[in-house]
Amino acid sequence: MKRKGLLYFSIILIGCVFLIRLFYLQVLDNAYHNPIKNNSAVKVKYSYPERGYIYDRNGVLLVANQLSYDIMVIPREVKPLDTIEFCSLLKITKKDFIKKLNRAKHYSTRIPSTFLAQVSKNDYAYLQEKMYKFKGFYIQKRSLREYPINSAPNVLGYISEVNENIIKKKSYYQLGELIGTAGVEKTYENVLRGTKGVQFIQRNRFNKEVGSYKNGIYDTLPIPGKDINITIDTKLQQYGEALMKNKRGGIVAIEPATGEILALVSSPTYNPNLMVGRDRSKYFTKLYLDTINKPLLDRGLQALYPPGSPFKIMIALAGLQEGVITPASTVRCFGGYRYGNRKNAFMSCHCSTHGSPVNLDKAIYRSCNTYFATTYRKIIEKYPTSAEGMDAWNKDITSFGLGKFLNNDLSVGKRGLIPNGNYYNKWYPNVRWTATYNISNAIGQGEILTTPIQLANMTAAVANRGFYYTPHIIKKIQGTTIPEKFKKIHKTAIDKKYFEPVINGLFNVFEKKHGTAHSSRVNGIEICGKTGTSQNPHGQDHSIFIAFAPKDNPKIAIAVFVENGYWGSRWAGPIATLMIEKYLKGKTSRPYLENRMLTGSLQDEYDKQLIEEENEK
């Protein structure tokens, strides 16, 4: 009986194994079945879907498609041909012909691949009449990107041919196909690209096409890519690009209530249409090798700068949270802060006429270095060791997203640096260091590094009185919703009650007669902001400004960096307030200031800096 039972069990087990295998082959594996893998009598033809369109937050079309034509090749079907005539038609050299054909053979002798991409419309009609002469070659229709508006190339990105490394990692792509390589095109590649269709064609022993393979059961139709709306306001973006002409730097504007990026300006910039067509490689190389202007560097996301005086906002909030100051706390200032016995151990104030003593409100709107150096030192010295003090300070500051990758949907970015106790323990391994060793952190200098988007996000968190949403570029995806992570609130480590006195100080930066941005105030808009001057070892200091408006129920938070712009109120402040006014009112009430920013140039400063660098070499 036991043997009989074991026999039945074995029969049932073997049957189950066969059924599972049959189910896999007939159902699961068919979804990915490629008959030509083991069948040389089957030809494959791909049909490419239209890539999804990209619109701005208001429905303005930013990226469309234009029809293009690729010359495809199946190497094993290539017959002897008139190479000179063929190369002349395609406007390539014989050397290029050999190189491209060998590349295709290396990829696959049986699978079609792109021999020459992006043939012009003008050449297509003439080529089509001649292609019958060249066996193994045929023309494949495909769509290329088109940019109706010359704006935001750093945001939109571009598409380019896949390389062999991408093909190895992503089996969906074939040699010569296109993929999003930068910007939104890269981040949302899987959404925008759609799904290509495949047709399998049976051939007889004479290599003649005789119909669909297995009546087309494996054939699929192309599925178009999904359209998306991004958060950018095109009018604001173009305005920012115009204001930054002949200047280097970045502008990032965020809607505090959602974390949506309203503008992401990087200057110098370039025309996105340069990244389309057969000359794309030539233009990309030219832009890439421009190591002086660096047009491919997204300064809003990748450029690291000391934040300067806007960072004093963080010192004030951390000081209030740690209980080392109150809004009424005062500090006596005699033109600067002395933190040692050495002659150079002195941090001077930019304005030594602000009077003394100085409370929190006045320290913010007059940007008193002494007040914030004193507050910083008190925070660090509150704890048993300086390292513990630095860790507590670091926790408060990084809760605003500083010193971190923001986990957004942008294709590039930098972490920046907010040092902690361990950082200085490694830096001073044999010294009992104190707050005076890194007192420059108090005014946004020292080891601190931030990107413009981090400062804009910090500003949004202050505007919201203690929370922020992850800054993001996607607003809407056709037929689906945006990722949930962009709807999640991130709370800072600072209690809500501490924000109001700091915000009042930021408001007085504009409203008080001696506020550092009094000259940039805008009638009818309550703006809160902070000027900044970031020390720079190469040429003039950087001009920085952060702001949000209106004071209550804010609609926009902004950070502006202008490289070598001398000081905050000279370039960054006016640009920021013009951007705010443009967004909230649709126009400016200060045409003289607008014209000065639009026509103003720092090119002489950059040229002088370049000459100095060359002389040093």
Side-chain angles (χ1 to χ4, degrees):
M1 288 296 292
K2 287 184 179 180
R3 286 185 178 179
K4 193 174 183 180
L6 183 62
L7 178 63
Y8 286 146
F9 176 76
S10 299
I11 292 171
I12 292 170
L13 180 63
I14 293 170
C16 288
V17 170
F18 275 107
L19 285 172
I20 291 170
R21 180 60 179 166
L22 187 63
F23 176 78
Y24 173 79
L25 291 173
Q26 291 294 320
V27 180
L28 299 181
D29 194 43
N30 269 352
Y32 303 97
H33 184 68
N34 184 347
I36 68 167
K37 283 184 178 179
N38 300 302
N39 192 339
S40 59
V42 177
K43 177 182 178 180
V44 64
K45 287 185 70 175
Y46 293 108
S47 51
Y48 292 93
E50 186 173 40
R51 199 170 175 88
Y53 283 38
I54 301 176
Y55 300 87
D56 85 340
R57 68 188 295 109
N58 300 311
V60 176
L61 180 62
L62 298 176
V63 186
N65 295 314
Q66 58 176 303
L67 195 59
S68 174
Y69 306 91
D70 291 350
I71 305 299
M72 308 296 292
V73 63
I74 304 174
R76 75 170 192 163
E77 297 183 10
V78 174
K79 305 298 182 184
L81 71 155
D82 187 335
T83 309
I84 295 176
E85 181 186 7
F86 190 60
C87 290
S88 177
L89 287 170
L90 298 184
K91 299 174 184 177
I92 61 174
T93 65
K94 186 175 180 180
K95 184 179 179 181
D96 288 333
F97 172 86
I98 296 170
K99 181 180 178 181
K100 292 177 185 295
L101 188 58
N102 287 339
R103 179 177 176 234
K105 289 177 180 178
H106 178 73
Y107 172 68
S108 174
T109 58
R110 293 185 294 111
I111 300 175
S113 59
T114 305
F115 179 80
L116 183 66
Q118 302 166 21
V119 173
S120 70
K121 296 176 185 178
N122 295 332
D123 293 336
Y124 166 68
Y126 185 64
L127 279 170
Q128 193 176 34
E129 296 177 0
K130 303 282 185 178
M131 289 303 290
Y132 73 92
K133 295 182 178 182
F134 311 109
K135 302 299 182 183
F137 294 92
Y138 65 94
I139 299 176
Q140 171 80 58
K141 290 184 180 180
R142 203 194 299 265
S143 62
L144 287 181
R145 287 315 224 181
E146 184 176 34
Y147 303 91
I149 298 174
N150 177 10
S151 181
N154 59 309
V155 177
L156 302 173
Y158 50 86
I159 59 176
S160 61
E161 277 192 38
V162 295
N163 55 38
E164 291 185 4
N165 289 332
I166 293 174
I167 294 171
K168 289 177 182 177
K169 294 176 183 177
K170 301 179 180 181
S171 59
Y172 172 86
Y173 299 96
Q174 306 287 333
L175 188 67
E177 292 182 353
L178 303 173
I179 188 173
T181 309
V184 172
E185 295 277 20
K186 179 179 180 180
T187 303
Y188 291 98
E189 163 68 11
N190 291 346
V191 172
L192 291 166
R193 77 181 182 195
T195 304
K196 61 190 175 188
V198 185
Q199 182 183 9
F200 298 103
I201 301 169
Q202 183 73 54
R203 293 182 289 200
N204 61 20
R205 60 194 180 95
F206 300 107
N207 208 29
K208 183 179 179 181
E209 296 179 9
V210 293
S212 296
Y213 175 75
K214 290 192 176 181
N215 295 318
I217 63 172
Y218 298 114
D219 294 354
T220 59
L221 294 172
I223 302 173
K226 294 179 179 179
D227 297 341
I228 66 172
N229 289 74
I230 60 175
T231 60
I232 293 295
D233 182 305
T234 299
K235 289 184 178 178
L236 187 66
Q237 176 76 20
Q238 289 183 300
Y239 190 55
E241 290 170 349
L243 291 169
M244 289 296 292
K245 188 177 181 181
N246 294 319
K247 309 168 190 73
R248 295 177 189 163
I251 303 174
V252 182
I254 294 173
E255 184 178 67
T258 61
E260 294 179 356
I261 299 171
L262 303 171
L264 181 55
V265 176
S266 180
S267 182
T269 186
Y270 61 93
N271 187 333
N273 287 294
L274 294 177
M275 293 299 191
V276 178
R278 288 174 63 178
D279 290 331
R280 191 200 77 83
S281 179
K282 178 180 71 175
Y283 287 121
F284 175 83
T285 301
K286 184 178 179 180
L287 294 169
Y288 180 79
L289 294 177
D290 185 353
T291 56
I292 297 172
N293 294 305
K294 300 179 181 178
L296 294 180
L297 174 71
D298 191 330
R299 284 171 163 86
L301 306 176
Q302 294 175 289
L304 292 169
Y305 307 96
S309 289
F311 193 75
K312 292 173 182 175
I313 300 169
M314 295 291 95
I315 301 300
L317 290 169
L320 292 167
Q321 182 68 32
E322 296 294 330
V324 299
I325 61 169
T326 69
S329 296
T330 61
V331 170
R332 296 186 66 82
C333 178
F334 299 101
Y337 180 74
R338 185 166 295 282
Y339 53 92
N341 296 322
R342 292 172 291 123
K343 288 183 179 181
N344 60 350
F346 184 77
M347 179 189 295
S348 62
C349 278
H350 293 292
C351 180
S352 59
T353 60
H354 52 51
S356 186
V358 182
N359 63 12
L360 176 62
D361 183 65
K362 192 174 187 178
I364 292 173
Y365 76 75
R366 294 304 303 272
S367 200
C368 177
N369 287 347
T370 301
Y371 189 94
F372 295 102
T374 302
T375 302
Y376 175 79
R377 187 170 180 176
K378 285 180 178 180
I379 295 171
I380 307 304
E381 292 177 351
K382 172 187 172 183
Y383 292 84
T385 67
S386 295
E388 290 174 89
M390 284 298 303
D391 287 342
W393 173 83
N394 175 277
K395 182 181 177 182
D396 291 336
I397 306 304
T398 56
S399 70
F400 286 78
L402 299 173
K404 296 179 179 179
F405 290 113
L406 290 171
N407 194 27
N408 53 42
D409 57 346
L410 302 163
S411 63
V412 294
K414 288 290 181 69
R415 187 185 189 113
L417 176 62
I418 302 296
N420 57 16
N422 191 50
Y423 180 91
Y424 289 110
N425 283 339
K426 290 180 178 179
W427 201 340
Y428 302 110
N430 303 312
V431 178
R432 189 176 179 180
W433 57 272
T434 64
T436 60
Y437 279 61
N438 46 56
I439 198 71
S440 293
N441 289 340
I443 58 171
Q445 296 288 162
E447 287 68 59
I448 297 170
L449 292 172
T450 59
T451 59
I453 193 172
Q454 288 176 331
L455 277 195
N457 184 63
M458 176 198 83
T459 307
V462 174
N464 288 334
R465 278 72 170 171
F467 69 89
Y468 68 89
Y469 294 91
T470 299
H472 55 280
I473 204 72
I474 191 70
K475 186 170 181 67
K476 180 182 177 182
I477 301 174
Q478 180 185 2
T480 185
T481 58
I482 69 171
E484 286 298 317
K485 69 177 183 177
F486 298 138
K487 302 174 185 177
K488 179 183 177 183
I489 288 177
H490 301 275
K491 292 184 178 180
T492 69
I494 309 299
D495 295 340
K496 185 177 180 179
K497 62 183 178 181
Y498 295 127
F499 284 89
E500 216 56 49
V502 172
I503 289 172
N504 284 333
L506 297 174
F507 180 60
N508 286 331
V509 166
F510 289 89
E511 296 302 312
K512 290 288 187 179
K513 182 179 179 181
H514 297 292
T516 56
H518 181 70
S519 62
S520 293
R521 67 192 185 283
V522 181
N523 291 331
I525 303 178
E526 292 187 331
I527 305 178
C528 301
K530 187 77 187 73
T531 57
T533 304
S534 176
Q535 293 178 12
N536 171 38
H538 307 290
Q540 293 291 341
D541 292 340
H542 301 317
S543 176
I544 309 170
F545 199 86
I546 61 95
F548 66 87
K551 179 184 177 186
D552 300 312
N553 192 24
K555 298 291 190 298
I556 181 172
I558 192 167
V560 179
F561 276 76
V562 180
E563 294 181 12
N564 308 112
Y566 292 79
W567 58 84
S569 60
R570 180 162 174 169
W571 292 103
I575 288 173
T577 57
L578 285 167
M579 290 281 285
I580 289 172
E581 190 177 19
K582 181 75 169 180
Y583 184 67
L584 297 180
K585 290 185 173 183
K587 59 182 180 180
T588 180
S589 59
R590 302 167 294 166
Y592 170 76
L593 180 65
E594 180 185 56
N595 183 64
R596 185 163 67 85
M597 292 298 109
L598 289 172
T599 59
S601 173
L602 284 167
Q603 193 56 53
D604 287 345
E605 178 61 38
Y606 303 139
D607 291 342
K608 183 173 66 176
Q609 180 183 327
L610 182 62
I611 292 171
E612 290 175 356
E613 290 176 358
E614 288 295 327
N615 290 336
E616 289 178 4
K617 293 179 182 179

